[in-house]
Amino acid sequence: MGRLFAIEIIYRGIFQKTMAGRLSRAIVLAAHHEGKVGISFGRYGDSPERNGIPAKGFAIVATDEQTLQEGMAKYEPKEVDVTICVDDTLCKGVESWAWYGLQPVNRLLKPGGTLIVTSREGPEAIIAMAHRKDTPYQLSILKGTVSFSGLWVYKDDHTDVRILGAVAKILPELFSLKSVQRAIVDEWHDELKATSAAKAYDRTTSITVTPDQGNPEVPYKFDLPKWHEMGEGIAIPSIPAGHKMDDPKSHAEGGFQPDRNPTFLKFSTRTMRPVVNFDTCIKCTLCWLQCPDSCFDVTPEGLYDANMKACCGCGVCEAVCPVKECVTMVNETEFKGNDSQWEDWRKDKDGYKVWLEEKIKHPPERSHGFRYRGQYEEQIPEMLEIAQEK
Amino acid sequence: MAVATVIEEQKDKLDKTALITGSEAIAVACQLADVDVITAYPIRPYDTVMQYVCKLVANGEMDCEYIVAEGEHSQFEIVKHASACGARVFCGSSGVGWMYAMEALTVTPALRIPMIAMVGNRALDDPGAFGVEHNDALAVRDLGWQLVWVDNAQEALDTALIAYRVAEDRRIFLPLAISCDGAFLTHSQALVKIPSQEKVNEFLPQYNRGDLLLHPDNPITVAPQGNEDWVMEIRRQNYAAMERSPGVIREAYADFERIFGRSYGNPFFEEYMTDDADIVLMGMGTLSISVKVAIREMRKQGKRVGFVRMRWFRPFAAEELSKSLQRFAAVGVIDRDYSFGSPYAGGVLAGEVRHALYPGPGKKPPVVGFICGLGGREVTVPDVQKMAEAVYNAADGKKQPLTQWIGLRE
Ligand code: SF4
Ligand code: SF4
């Protein structure tokens, strides 16, 4: 048997689909320049993709055809040499819409394998988000604003080639910088992109993450029922309507909290989350009406609390709220838990105010997604600057 | 019975006899079964049933939602949804109309919808033709539909009642299509005993969709998207339902006999003069008439030929059939259908019969296939005699094609 290489690309559905496809293609093409064979594919269960829902692509490369078949005889490799995570918020876990539970971002990494993450954060923040792993692995951060675009429009900000340069550094047995540059020029006819790859190659470093580092939580999962345990007729019981809410302080009952799907939690689908200023809310109901995922719990006093089990981070609530800075979308990397903001506010209004100000007045730059026309043009100089930081 | 010509009051004064077509017999069964929702879209020869139901409704003799859809696809979708909401339903089509509904036909079994449909068997276009072929109904043979063929109007009525009983049994909940040969059965009138409402009520319980009922008081989601983690288990459930079907069919026929006093013997296939037969012919639908006449002729010449008429094609009573067929020196299967490129270029039924015989144990009589009566061409008595000759040749081990076209200009 020859040598088998597996590279996993974890990305945000639709927004990063084109980039993920370009990466896995270029990896195979670059390895082919060194006489290797390979395949590039997306995990079919993630398709058809949905906006922002975590999804995966793979490049499987081998030194010969037979070895490649060993790698092809499964939908998803059991272990990979490199995991490329093109959005740092995915380090909190990957819950595909295909109902696999929450997978740690580093789940498939071989012992000693490398997790490449594109991020503006430092290693501490990334390590804290990722679940703990039994074996040590390497972490390599590709500094930069996370690259998001649409299904039809590609933002060619060189994230793709910079990652390819990093892969050449991390896994020289797969392909050399020279081969990947050849593949880049063949594929995209752009010498500048080849130069970007070389720069990233020079700058790429990695650190070791040990088993005692990372998020200690056990990711939630569930067992699939046997065929005779399943209900018949492809009918599933609906989620019950909901119930009244309980005020943590006064224990007044009231309002309404809809029940939610217990097996598809949206913790990993968002790149940002709304923070609500309950002191300035005028109870206009717009956020509650317009939220596409019915996230807002109605509190006993008629306030609207965005429930983080359901929020996909679309930003509609921020857009419709008529009160300035009453709903503000904040980078998801800023948050640890998923607790109710309203409960925190009820328990300690002053403390909440400080917390809120800190989140919205000194926010870490919200680095994901498209919010207004001209945003990308504005970001380009800044992105260039970050990309060139050592 | 305002429309049917009631010609005789039976001793049991609630039973009546009427001169009606096979389609009308099925319409009467719908009336007796008190069907809630019926959808229609015209195509010959199925349209005879929709016309008759329409008359019953218009005359105030039948109470149901009668919906004329804008095409067969909607026609089948509407009753699918109505059935999910707990309604007893009926619809049907013919030939390419049935094929136009194919997407709806495909999704119905997996959702465990006990839809009853009549297929007025008709040749598929092209060429546009009205005569009978069985390929329309057979197109769903692998999809979870129960399929039954009848050969006379009385059997059409009785089988329609049995169909509701079987399909709506909670152990089954699978759709069921009753095939009636176009013209020969759908358009010719015969004397049919119409059972009393009381007996039908005793035989046929209410449709109870139970936990699968789509209703605001029982909130469920039906037919969500599923990936490779789910599809196989769902298919296995459908297999299990179909596996239970023969037992439920047997129960229904036994109860039918007890309540209506009419017996069909073995529900799955009818045997005619097989007790002493050397060879048998097989087939489905109305070709049985000329086969039986021809057999009586041949018997006068000392040829001991029998006939096996398949009623239930799905579920297919393979073990029982192969056990029965092993008694004969050779078997001839008449297909009023085609299966281009199939093993030995045969018809669909011939392939199934060979398949049923293959695992054994016991002897495997040679099987000769015949393609005959396509597009409504008459299956004549001489045709049948010719086929019997070929089956005798097979019994004698003479070399001949495994599939033969009979009644073809050549
Ligand atoms: S961002 Fe706001 S509108 Fe969008 S899902 Fe979350 S709570 Fe709802
Ligand atoms: S849109 Fe803003 S002001 Fe209106 S209810 Fe929601 S949070 Fe309050």
Side-chain angles (χ1 to χ4, degrees):
Chain A
M1 242 226 352
R3 166 114 197 240
L4 188 69
F5 302 88
I7 316 293
E8 174 189 39
I9 300 144
I10 302 179
Y11 64 98
R12 295 259 172 221
I14 307 291
F15 303 140
Q16 298 182 309
K17 182 191 177 103
T18 306
M19 175 163 55
R22 285 164 75 106
L23 280 171
S24 58
R25 254 184 83 79
I27 288 169
V28 173
L29 292 170
H32 193 49
H33 281 302
E34 302 191 358
K36 299 186 184 79
V37 287
I39 55 165
S40 150
F41 63 100
R43 186 170 65 177
Y44 195 63
D46 297 331
S47 177
E49 290 178 11
R50 294 292 181 264
N51 280 359
I53 307 288
K56 289 186 179 189
F58 295 97
I60 310 288
V61 172
T63 45
D64 61 277
E65 287 284 354
Q66 273 201 15
T67 308
L68 181 65
Q69 271 190 3
E70 307 276 337
M72 285 165 63
K74 25 186 120 58
Y75 276 1
E76 183 171 344
K78 292 279 171 287
E79 51 174 27
V80 298
D81 299 271
V82 173
T83 292
I84 300 166
C85 176
V86 287
D87 171 20
D88 52 9
T89 55
L90 283 166
C91 290
K92 290 191 171 189
V94 182
E95 188 186 18
S96 130
W97 84 299
W99 244 62
Y100 300 124
L102 186 71
Q103 299 180 356
V105 68
N106 49 26
R107 186 177 74 114
L108 297 186
L109 273 184
K110 283 178 185 168
T114 304
L115 172 65
I116 301 177
V117 183
T118 59
S119 181
R120 306 165 63 137
E121 304 288 333
E124 310 74 36
I126 302 292
I127 293 169
M129 283 193 277
H131 290 87
R132 288 188 183 180
K133 192 172 169 68
D134 292 344
T135 52
Y137 63 96
Q138 300 298 114
L139 171 66
S140 175
I141 297 176
L142 192 87
K143 273 273 178 205
T145 298
V146 172
S147 180
F148 268 51
S149 43
L151 186 58
W152 310 113
V153 184
Y154 186 59
K155 182 163 63 162
D156 198 359
D157 57 14
H158 290 206
T159 300
D160 46 13
V161 290
R162 295 176 61 226
I163 290 171
L164 291 168
V167 172
K169 178 79 159 276
I170 283 160
L171 203 56
E173 311 92 298
L174 178 62
F175 51 67
S176 64
L177 175 64
K178 213 169 131 220
S179 296
V180 83
Q181 285 183 307
R182 269 180 70 189
I184 288 167
V185 174
D186 284 354
E187 191 72 346
W188 298 306
H189 314 290
D190 185 345
E191 294 288 343
L192 194 61
K193 283 177 84 81
T195 310
S196 286
K199 284 193 174 152
Y201 179 92
D202 288 340
R203 292 193 193 113
T204 297
T205 56
S206 58
I207 58 163
T208 303
V209 184
T210 54
D212 59 348
Q213 290 179 294
N215 176 1
E217 279 170 15
V218 179
Y220 64 91
K221 58 175 187 191
F222 35 81
D223 293 324
L224 297 173
K226 298 191 171 76
W227 72 269
H228 47 83
E229 295 166 349
M230 287 164 51
E232 292 186 303
I234 323 185
I236 47 176
S238 72
I239 293 169
H243 50 267
K244 288 187 177 140
M245 291 193 66
D246 178 30
D247 188 312
K249 231 174 148 182
S250 66
H251 294 290
E253 275 209 343
F256 182 72
Q257 180 173 49
D259 279 7
R260 299 192 164 92
N261 187 341
T263 45
F264 186 66
L265 308 175
K266 303 232 179 93
F267 300 153
S268 73
T269 64
R270 59 178 175 265
T271 60
M272 48 185 176
R273 73 165 73 168
V275 288
V276 180
N277 188 341
F278 300 102
D279 294 317
T280 59
C281 169
I282 57 166
K283 304 183 180 178
C284 74
T285 75
L286 281 177
C287 54
W288 173 74
L289 279 172
Q290 298 293 330
C291 170
D293 285 29
S294 307
C295 297
F296 283 91
D297 295 341
V298 187
T299 71
E301 70 269 56
L303 290 166
Y304 296 90
D305 183 26
N307 190 308
M308 288 304 116
K309 274 186 188 156
C311 172
C312 67
C314 70
V316 165
C317 49
E318 179 192 55
V320 298
C321 180
V323 180
K324 189 169 182 282
E325 290 181 351
C326 179
V327 180
T328 313
M329 299 303 291
V330 176
N331 190 332
E332 180 65 23
T333 55
E334 266 309 283
F335 302 92
K336 288 225 157 54
N338 293 290
D339 293 346
S340 156
Q341 293 171 11
W342 171 72
E343 283 185 14
D344 290 349
W345 174 76
R346 282 295 287 142
K347 284 181 207 149
D348 174 9
K349 290 190 181 175
D350 293 334
Y352 184 80
K353 196 170 179 185
V354 174
W355 178 85
L356 178 93
E357 297 270 296
E358 133 82 20
K359 289 285 181 252
I360 68 173
K361 298 284 185 231
H362 314 284
E365 194 49 47
R366 236 284 317 286
S367 59
H368 316 98
F370 179 84
R371 288 164 91 203
Y372 51 89
R373 197 177 292 273
Q375 176 191 341
Y376 293 162
E377 284 85 343
E378 258 178 43
Q379 282 176 346
I380 285 171
E382 189 201 348
M383 282 158 61
L384 276 175
E385 205 176 289
I386 301 164
Q388 284 171 15
E389 275 170 23
K390 289 248 165 170
Chain B
M1 292 291 97
V3 178
T5 317
V6 179
I7 61 166
E8 193 190 341
E9 291 271 325
Q10 295 290 295
K11 273 209 196 89
D12 172 0
K13 60 177 183 297
L14 292 165
D15 278 9
K16 291 168 183 155
T17 298
L19 182 64
I20 52 177
T21 65
S23 297
E24 287 168 344
I26 287 190
V28 170
C30 289
Q31 182 192 24
L32 290 167
D34 192 19
V35 173
D36 302 305
V37 178
I38 294 182
T39 53
Y41 187 79
I43 182 167
R44 270 165 68 115
Y46 142 84
D47 57 351
T48 44
V49 76
M50 67 174 263
Q51 288 165 20
Y52 197 68
V53 170
C54 192
K55 278 183 197 165
L56 290 173
V57 174
N59 291 345
E61 294 171 61
M62 185 173 175
D63 181 21
C64 72
E65 293 297 327
Y66 183 91
I67 301 162
V68 181
E70 81 276 27
E72 288 86 354
H73 186 275
S74 310
Q75 189 195 348
F76 282 81
E77 279 292 331
I78 292 165
V79 282
K80 182 189 93 183
H81 286 80
S83 177
C85 298
R88 177 168 285 166
V89 299
F90 176 77
C91 63
S93 194
S94 286
V96 289
W98 176 254
M99 301 307 267
Y100 186 64
M102 186 54 87
E103 194 243 355
L105 299 178
T106 308
V107 295
T108 301
L111 299 182
R112 306 297 291 279
I113 299 289
M115 179 193 295
I116 303 298
M118 179 189 122
V119 182
N121 297 121
R122 168 177 170 169
L124 298 174
D125 295 358
D126 278 326
F130 296 122
V132 55
E133 269 175 18
H134 291 164
N135 283 85
D136 49 5
L138 286 172
V140 300
R141 68 188 176 132
D142 298 327
L143 305 181
W145 278 78
Q146 300 167 96
L147 296 176
V148 60
W149 262 261
V150 295
D151 79 342
N152 65 74
Q154 184 71 58
E155 194 181 36
L157 189 153
D158 296 350
T159 305
L161 294 175
I162 290 167
Y164 281 106
R165 168 82 184 248
V166 170
E168 292 175 0
D169 190 297
R170 181 65 181 88
R171 292 166 288 178
I172 311 299
F173 273 11
L174 287 174
L176 196 159
I178 305 162
S179 278
C180 300
D181 285 356
F184 296 113
L185 183 50
T186 55
H187 284 62
S188 35
Q189 300 179 358
L191 292 169
V192 175
K193 287 200 185 77
I194 297 172
S196 71
Q197 189 66 55
E198 285 71 18
K199 284 181 187 169
V200 173
N201 293 351
E202 189 189 343
F203 176 70
L204 195 57
Q206 295 280 315
Y207 169 39
N208 178 0
R209 193 141 177 83
D211 58 331
L212 296 183
L213 183 71
L214 194 58
H215 188 276
D217 294 341
N218 182 45
I220 52 172
T221 296
V222 180
Q225 187 92 7
N227 65 0
E228 69 275 6
D229 286 333
W230 301 97
V231 178
M232 210 163 157
E233 282 69 25
I234 290 164
R235 300 283 181 258
R236 182 66 186 86
Q237 290 183 329
N238 266 43
Y239 260 88
M242 196 56 108
E243 279 162 4
R244 290 190 290 266
S245 174
V248 175
I249 289 171
R250 239 183 271 280
E251 276 173 29
Y253 275 83
D255 252 14
F256 186 90
E257 184 178 344
R258 179 177 62 77
I259 294 168
F260 297 96
R262 247 196 318 282
S263 171
Y264 281 94
N266 180 344
F268 299 101
F269 48 88
E270 175 199 357
E271 295 199 22
Y272 181 74
M273 292 194 174
T274 56
D275 283 348
D276 62 343
D278 303 319
I279 60 148
V280 286
L281 290 166
M282 284 190 69
M284 300 196 294
T286 53
L287 57 79
S288 61
I289 317 287
S290 34
V291 173
K292 285 175 181 173
V293 172
I295 283 175
R296 290 198 291 269
E297 298 268 318
M298 289 187 284
R299 284 196 169 245
K300 283 182 202 151
Q301 299 150 26
K303 289 178 186 154
R304 288 183 300 186
V305 182
F307 178 55
V308 177
R309 176 172 68 93
M310 286 309 279
R311 281 196 197 95
W312 289 85
F313 186 84
R314 286 291 182 269
F316 196 94
E319 269 179 59
E320 221 172 311
L321 181 72
S322 73
K323 217 164 171 185
S324 174
L325 295 184
Q326 280 167 356
R327 294 179 290 153
F328 313 115
V331 178
V333 181
I334 311 170
D335 268 290
R336 207 161 209 167
D337 61 73
Y338 47 82
S339 180
F340 301 124
S342 64
Y344 312 112
V348 175
L349 183 60
E352 296 283 301
V353 170
R354 284 197 187 97
H355 189 171
L357 285 167
Y358 188 83
K363 92 174 198 217
K364 296 178 178 52
V367 174
V368 198
F370 304 104
I371 307 282
C372 188
L374 296 189
R377 181 161 300 179
E378 190 180 350
V379 179
T380 64
V381 171
D383 284 344
V384 179
Q385 286 166 338
K386 207 168 158 192
M387 292 189 266
E389 279 319 306
V391 182
Y392 271 116
N393 286 341
D396 294 344
K398 285 189 191 144
K399 223 175 142 45
Q400 61 177 352
L402 279 179
T403 303
Q404 302 177 20
W405 285 62
I406 305 294
L408 176 75
R409 286 192 302 280
E410 52 187 343

